[in-house]
């Protein structure tokens, strides 16, 4: 699968708490924040202004994909296997394209979002992992303007 970034000038700002402490997003059982979205929030935060601490409390090894996003130029400090601090780019710099492998559904969709945010063309292998959770993802993203293509045999 090949991706390229479509430039836009909209942005997000992460607000710290009133006492100046860093915002923390942590997963929790219902009605808390679902752990399935934590990896997506992590990648989106790389493009926002500000800093956020992502704390994966419920499952082991869910942040193992972070090194791939760091390789793309994200400013992320992996504190331990459960916590990562993300320092957003605020659109002052972009992630750079790379070739990577989707390890599972959650990390795969996050890497796909990172690839769409990156400058240049990225490749993601093992996309069957993404397909398991997101039917017709290529077509759906193309309909909203993403430059994405499924390449067979790569």
């Amino acid at each position: 699968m090949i991706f390229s970034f479509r430039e836009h000038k909209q942005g997000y700002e992460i607000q710290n708490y009133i006492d100046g402490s860093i915002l923390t997003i942590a997963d929790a059982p219902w009605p808390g924040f679902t752990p399935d979205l934590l990896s997506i929030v992590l990648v989106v935060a790389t493009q926002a202004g500000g800093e956020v601490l992502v704390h994966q409390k419920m499952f082991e090894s869910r942040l193992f994909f972070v090194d791939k996003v760091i390789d793309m130029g994200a400013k992320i400090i992996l504190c331990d296997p459960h916590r990562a601090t993300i320092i957003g780019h605020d659109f002052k710099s972009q992630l750079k394209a790379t070739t990577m492998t989707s390890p599972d559904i959650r990390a795969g969709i996050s890497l796909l979002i990172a690839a769409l945010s990156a400058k240049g063309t990225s490749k993601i292998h093992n996309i069957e992992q993404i397909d398991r959770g997101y039917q017709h993802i290529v077509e759906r993203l193309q309909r909203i303007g993403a430059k994405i293509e499924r390449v067979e045999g790569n």
Side-chain angles (χ1 to χ4, degrees):
M1 192 176 284
I2 298 175
F3 304 95
S4 63
F5 177 71
R6 185 176 202 157
E7 190 171 339
H8 56 87
K9 298 296 180 195
Q10 298 169 338
Y12 299 98
E13 181 73 29
I14 301 167
Q15 299 292 315
N16 287 346
Y17 292 111
I18 197 163
D19 66 357
S21 60
I22 189 170
L23 173 68
T24 299
I25 300 175
D27 60 344
W30 173 261
F33 191 80
T34 178
D36 291 344
L37 295 179
L38 211 55
S39 59
I40 292 171
V41 167
L42 186 147
V43 170
V44 171
T46 68
Q47 300 305 298
E51 301 162 4
V52 65
L53 174 69
V54 170
H55 190 174
Q56 171 57 259
K57 296 178 180 179
M58 294 180 60
F59 297 100
E60 294 288 329
S61 304
R62 285 270 179 102
L63 297 180
F64 61 89
F65 74 97
V66 169
D67 61 331
K68 294 173 178 73
V69 185
I70 292 170
D71 289 346
M72 295 176 79
K75 296 175 186 171
I76 301 173
I77 301 165
L78 196 55
C79 306
D80 57 42
H82 297 279
R83 296 177 302 143
T85 301
I86 298 88
I87 303 162
H89 287 168
D90 196 20
F91 289 99
K92 292 184 176 98
S93 64
Q94 286 182 288
L95 298 176
K96 61 181 184 249
T98 190
T99 299
M100 53 198 141
T101 300
S102 171
D104 65 29
I105 295 170
R106 289 157 210 85
I109 197 67
S110 299
L111 293 174
L112 189 152
I113 293 167
L116 288 170
S117 300
K119 183 175 185 173
T121 302
S122 293
K123 292 183 182 180
I124 299 178
H125 298 278
N126 196 26
I127 59 172
E128 296 79 17
Q129 295 291 335
I130 300 169
D131 288 337
R132 284 182 34 220
Y134 299 90
Q135 285 186 326
H136 310 291
I137 189 69
V138 172
E139 296 81 6
R140 291 165 59 194
L141 288 171
Q142 286 172 338
R143 282 196 295 261
I144 60 171
K147 294 180 181 178
I148 181 173
E149 176 184 349
R150 181 180 301 272
V151 179
E152 301 299 329
N154 284 330

